[in-house]
Amino acid sequence: MDIAIAVLVGAIALITVVTLIRAVRIVPQQRMDVVERLGRYQRTMTPGLNLLVPFVDTVRAKVDMREQVVSFPPQPVITSDNLVVSIDTVLYFKVVEPRAATYEIANFLQAIEQLTVTTLRNVIGSLDLERALTSREEINRHLSGVLDETTGRWGIKVTRVEIKAIEPPPSIRDSMEKQMRAERDRRAAILTAEGHKQSQILSAEGEKQASVLRADGDRQARILQAEGQAKAIRTVFDAIHQANPSQKVLAYQYLQALPQIANGQANKVWIVPAELTKALEGLGGALGGLSQMVGDAPSQQVDSSAVEREAAEAAEAAAAEAQRVNDEVRAAEQVSSGGTARPAGLPAPEPVPASELLDQFDASRARPEAERG
């Protein structure tokens, strides 16, 4: 009897514990449970502690209220230019109404996948490949609008639809790569040509500026050189006029310049011009009074007839010497050119250097002075 009572008490206690367990439900955050009472929707339990009627209320579905991400497998889609491309999509959604998501559709995830595929084929079918590859934002926006409108009555909110990849056929990829490579080669060639053009332009401008600066510098240098020469000539001219040199000094300077005129490798023969006689007249007149020179001032006691006689004798001697040298040069030219042969026994004329002419001139000038002395 006692055993039967103990078993009964234990059974009652077990039933009580099971009833309490079934009556008390704790729902975690971001989850809602749909409760049915005797097979009919009764309420939706929110997160926290909830009580149920044991053996009467049951939990039909546990709905996750967080945003979920679903990646759909690649789907073949035909574009408007009859090319089959493979498109991968990613869907972001969340359940906003647990009751509608439980009772309005049997499997909302599968329904969303099929709706995405059909909508994607409809959108891509109206675009060609080039536009499909460059219009992802437009495709995503269109898909989001259609899915959100359709899934709204299911208690689901589609937040975002993304296209992961659009894979054209291998042959099309090869053609696109060749086209892109050709386009890049064209751009590279254009950029190279532009760079070469700019380089040539800059080089030409630099050469132009350098030439202009060089010409300007040369002009300035010549102007400065000419101004310097003008100042030097003016200074010498003023110095000569201020010093008032006599004819003797000028004649002496001229005689000093004669060896420099005859100096040089090309001056083997010095041809005395006819005009030299006139110059020698002045030289004779200037040199005739050297014996009476005291200082550099002109002497007042110079005999004009003696000066004229000395100048005439010097001129005649210079003219005779010049005629002789000219005759010898002509004879040498005739012999070298195969003309008339010179007389037998006559030696070839030797070229007369300028120093001998100066010596002869000095000798001719010295003879009248010796005779006069």
Side-chain angles (χ1 to χ4, degrees):
M1 185 67 181
D2 295 334
I3 297 174
I5 294 173
V7 171
L8 181 59
V9 172
I12 293 172
L14 180 61
I15 293 172
T16 302
V17 172
V18 172
T19 301
L20 291 175
I21 292 174
R22 292 179 65 90
V24 177
R25 291 295 178 90
I26 298 177
V27 180
Q29 186 67 31
Q30 291 295 330
R31 198 187 81 180
M32 288 187 179
D33 296 346
V34 178
V35 179
E36 291 181 349
R37 177 171 294 176
L38 300 177
R40 187 176 181 179
Y41 172 76
Q42 199 273 331
R43 62 189 177 92
T44 300
M45 292 189 300
T46 57
L49 181 63
N50 295 273
L51 298 176
L52 297 176
V53 178
F55 306 104
V56 177
D57 295 340
T58 58
V59 177
R60 169 67 185 273
K62 299 177 180 180
V63 181
D64 193 351
M65 303 301 293
R66 295 175 297 179
E67 186 173 0
Q68 303 181 36
V69 181
V70 179
S71 178
F72 299 134
Q75 299 294 328
V77 181
I78 300 176
T79 61
S80 62
D81 49 355
N82 297 325
L83 292 176
V84 179
V85 295
S86 180
I87 300 180
D88 296 345
T89 55
V90 178
L91 182 66
Y92 297 82
F93 71 95
K94 64 186 297 185
V95 179
V96 295
E97 185 61 40
R99 179 178 178 278
T102 304
Y103 295 103
E104 294 295 334
I105 189 169
N107 189 346
F108 63 85
L109 188 58
Q110 184 179 4
I112 291 175
E113 179 182 359
Q114 296 301 321
L115 182 61
T116 302
V117 172
T118 54
T119 306
L120 187 62
R121 287 178 178 176
N122 186 23
V123 174
I124 298 298
S126 61
L127 304 175
D128 56 4
L129 179 61
E130 190 71 22
R131 189 177 176 186
L133 293 174
T134 58
S135 303
R136 295 194 177 187
E137 281 296 326
E138 182 180 354
I139 296 173
N140 295 337
R141 187 168 56 252
H142 188 74
L143 285 174
S144 298
V146 173
L147 292 175
D148 191 32
E149 181 182 358
T150 305
T151 59
R153 63 177 183 270
W154 299 341
I156 298 173
K157 174 66 176 178
V158 177
T159 58
R160 190 176 182 85
V161 180
E162 291 289 342
I163 297 178
K164 291 197 301 183
I166 300 177
E167 296 292 338
S171 59
I172 301 300
R173 287 201 300 268
D174 295 340
S175 300
M176 293 172 62
E177 291 177 359
K178 292 179 181 179
Q179 180 182 1
M180 183 59 65
R181 190 179 301 111
E183 181 68 19
R184 290 180 178 176
D185 292 341
R186 183 183 67 86
R187 293 179 182 178
I190 291 175
L191 292 177
T192 303
E194 288 290 338
H196 184 67
K197 174 183 175 182
Q198 293 295 330
S199 175
Q200 293 293 332
I201 291 175
L202 293 178
S203 298
E205 290 180 354
E207 292 178 0
K208 174 184 176 182
Q209 294 180 2
S211 300
V212 171
L213 293 177
R214 195 179 301 112
D216 186 68
D218 190 13
R219 181 177 66 86
Q220 294 292 337
R222 291 187 179 184
I223 291 174
L224 294 177
Q225 185 178 3
E227 292 178 354
Q229 291 179 357
K231 290 181 180 179
I233 293 173
R234 190 179 300 110
T235 302
V236 173
F237 184 77
D238 293 340
I240 292 174
H241 278 274
Q242 291 176 3
N244 192 16
S246 64
Q247 294 291 335
K248 301 173 185 179
V249 176
L250 296 177
Y252 179 71
Q253 293 293 330
Y254 186 80
L255 287 177
Q256 285 185 341
L258 287 178
Q260 298 179 0
I261 297 174
N263 189 17
Q265 297 181 357
N267 297 331
K268 299 301 182 182
V269 178
W270 187 28
I271 306 301
V272 179
E275 288 80 1
L276 184 61
T277 58
K278 296 181 180 180
L280 291 177
E281 292 179 359
L283 291 176
L287 296 175
L290 288 176
S291 60
Q292 301 176 2
M293 181 179 65
V294 177
D296 195 26
S299 176
Q300 301 295 331
Q301 300 178 359
V302 176
D303 191 0
S304 61
S305 61
V307 171
E308 294 178 356
R309 184 174 61 254
E310 292 177 358
E313 292 176 356
E316 292 176 358
E321 186 65 22
Q323 185 65 32
R324 185 181 66 80
V325 172
N326 288 333
D327 293 340
E328 292 179 357
V329 170
R330 291 175 181 175
E333 291 179 352
Q334 291 178 359
V335 172
S336 61
S337 61
T340 305
R342 62 179 180 272
L346 182 63
E350 296 294 335
V352 180
S355 60
E356 293 184 4
L357 291 178
L358 293 176
D359 295 339
Q360 292 176 5
F361 176 74
D362 294 336
S364 64
R365 182 177 58 81
R367 282 198 305 271
E369 292 179 357
E371 295 175 356
R372 186 172 57 251

